[in-house]
Amino acid sequence: MKKLINSPLIIAVALLINGHVAARTYDLTVEEMRAGFDGRERLTMAVNGQIPGPELRFTEGEDVIINVTNKMDTDTSLHWHGILLPYTQDGVPGISFDGIKPGATFTYRFKVKQAGTYWYHSHSGLQEQEGVYGPLVISPARREPFKYDRDYMVMLSDWTDERPEAILAHLKKQSDYYQYGRRTVGDFFSDVSGKGLPATLKDRRDWGRMRMVPTDISDITGYTFLINGKSAAQNWTGLFKPGERVRLRLINGSAMSTFDVRIPGLKMTVVQADGNNVQPVPVDELRIATAETYDIIVQPTDDKALTIFAESLDRSGYARGTLATAEGISGEIPPLRPRPQLTMADMGMEMPGMEMSGMEGMDHSGMDMGAKQSAPTPKPAMEMPGMDVGGMTGVDHSGMDMDAMQSGLTPKPAVDGGKVLVYGDLKAIKPYADYRAPDREIEIKLTGNMARYFWSINGEKFSDAPPIRLKYGERVRFKFV
């Protein structure tokens, strides 16, 4: 077994002499353990006895050897999320390999071809939600286009004292089982007071016809949210000296939570998204969905403690950490903002020329999310399942915020009216050199049934789906609907 190389100087010398970096080896063990937060514990799973698993550090250009041993009585796997590698090393059972059997060790071998902030997680059953995940950082072979003095991982995740299998069973029986914040009779009378009786009755009638609730922002409420495996009460802390540039590598390693992240009183500059360098974007807040990563740089100018505040999208809770000049100091924790509610506009139902009264037969909770798409329209049109977009010729979509639609709920301005990051802000710092038009386009429909809580692609379950066949060397555009 080769010795783990940690010194940047040794790595640089190896690059100069040999043109590549000697193999770096990691030994990882997936095993059961008892873990919990804020005084409660349950049996769960972890990598090397910790949640999240150990931070793995690679260097662009080096060969990597990762020995993964399974000490559980069920199969496991580790998938390297976003990493370019041979498919046999990708760690997805049933596609790239057979998984890692109980008591067995699987050795992943690949050459690192990229740089940036990524993460790894199990692709077996619901093990990722149990705790089998961790951060992964790849240092670039060349100097990065931005400077920083300190480098911290900020891995967001969610934790529940229930086993994931129990959660899934509840959602299968009742998809809104965990909707603890439903509207009440009191909310009805409050809406009557503010909007009037006719408008309130129409709103309730419209949601009833869709068999949905406007508080259905996240599938599950009641999570404990974590930063680097620490709850809000445990308060993960990163140290700095006033004037230093601090790099924060944000990773959303949650099971199904989206976070709105801000550091009250401090501007954040986004310099990397999903491992790719982007033109710097100063923002006051950003939204990070499951599996996304953002690298930001902040520069505190005084010795005041600052709170890294990550509110869940449904405002049911938050993760928080602190940037401080010494351990044991807490930053001020802002109050949770009001719980958002979906509107008919968020559902795409309040567009000019559209009347809910003409859609009484549509059951949105149980409909096939893969309804046939009509011919393309001149302007970007949002397809509602069960709705023929071709019949909306007179609808002007130009006023719709299609960028905001990607996250499922329109991002609201930051508390102080500051800048919120949207996908349109992200521009590659170096344009892709080999761009050319695709040889063909393949359209893939993400399908499913919300009421029965199952999900599929093109209406087929994985075991029945025919393979998508490509020709070596061709360029294909995949369009997800």
Side-chain angles (χ1 to χ4, degrees), residues 58 78-86 89-92 110-121 123 134 136 138 251 272-276 291-293:
F58 306 151
L78 284 182
H79 163 68
W80 319 103
H81 196 102
I83 304 302
L84 304 173
L85 37 62
Q89 307 302 301
D90 198 41
V92 180
F110 55 89
K111 179 180 286 292
V112 180
K113 300 179 179 180
Q114 64 205 97
T117 301
Y118 301 94
W119 66 303
Y120 63 91
H121 57 84
H123 234 293
L136 190 162
I138 306 174
I251 301 175
Q272 198 176 94
D274 294 325
N276 298 285
E292 286 186 322
T293 76

Side-chain angles (χ1 to χ4, degrees), residues 159-215:
W159 171 266
T160 172
D161 292 327
E162 282 190 271
R163 295 297 297 263
E165 293 81 4
I167 292 174
L168 182 59
H170 288 146
L171 291 171
K172 287 282 190 183
K173 296 172 184 174
Q174 183 181 340
S175 62
D176 57 356
Y177 181 91
Y178 293 97
Q179 288 302 310
Y180 300 144
R182 299 167 187 257
R183 295 190 294 188
T184 64
V185 173
D187 292 322
F188 175 82
F189 287 111
S190 177
D191 288 349
V192 169
S193 176
K195 303 175 184 177
L197 181 60
T200 301
L201 290 175
K202 180 181 184 301
D203 175 74
R204 298 310 195 269
R205 185 171 60 248
D206 289 346
W207 284 105
R209 285 169 178 159
M210 291 196 300
R211 290 178 60 191
M212 292 183 66
V213 292
T215 55

Side-chain angles (χ1 to χ4, degrees), residues 335-460:
L336 283 168
R337 289 176 289 190
R339 183 187 66 196
Q341 292 190 21
L342 292 167
T343 66
M344 287 293 124
D346 288 315
M347 303 302 295
M349 308 307 291
E350 282 190 355
M351 293 182 282
M354 181 187 300
E355 289 291 336
M356 272 298 296
S357 58
M359 307 176 71
E360 295 176 7
M362 293 177 62
D363 177 1
H364 293 266
S365 67
M367 64 196 171
D368 179 7
M369 301 298 286
K372 180 177 176 60
Q373 185 186 38
S374 63
T377 55
K379 294 180 179 178
M382 182 181 70
E383 177 185 339
M384 284 299 295
M387 181 195 326
D388 182 3
V389 181
M392 299 172 64
T393 310
V395 179
D396 179 10
H397 301 276
S398 60
M400 293 174 60
D401 184 356
M402 301 306 294
D403 194 34
M405 291 293 183
Q406 296 180 53
S407 61
L409 184 68
T410 306
K412 302 300 189 293
V415 172
D416 59 0
K419 165 68 178 174
V420 179
L421 181 75
V422 294
Y423 288 151
D425 295 326
L426 301 174
K427 297 177 174 60
I429 201 165
K430 184 179 180 181
Y432 186 56
D434 188 32
Y435 178 78
R436 64 183 186 275
D439 300 308
R440 60 186 172 120
E441 180 180 283
I442 295 176
E443 184 174 281
I444 293 176
K445 290 184 171 62
L446 305 179
T447 54
N449 185 296
M450 288 183 281
R452 295 168 61 192
Y453 208 79
F454 68 78
W455 315 105
S456 53
I457 294 178
N458 293 336
E460 297 280 352

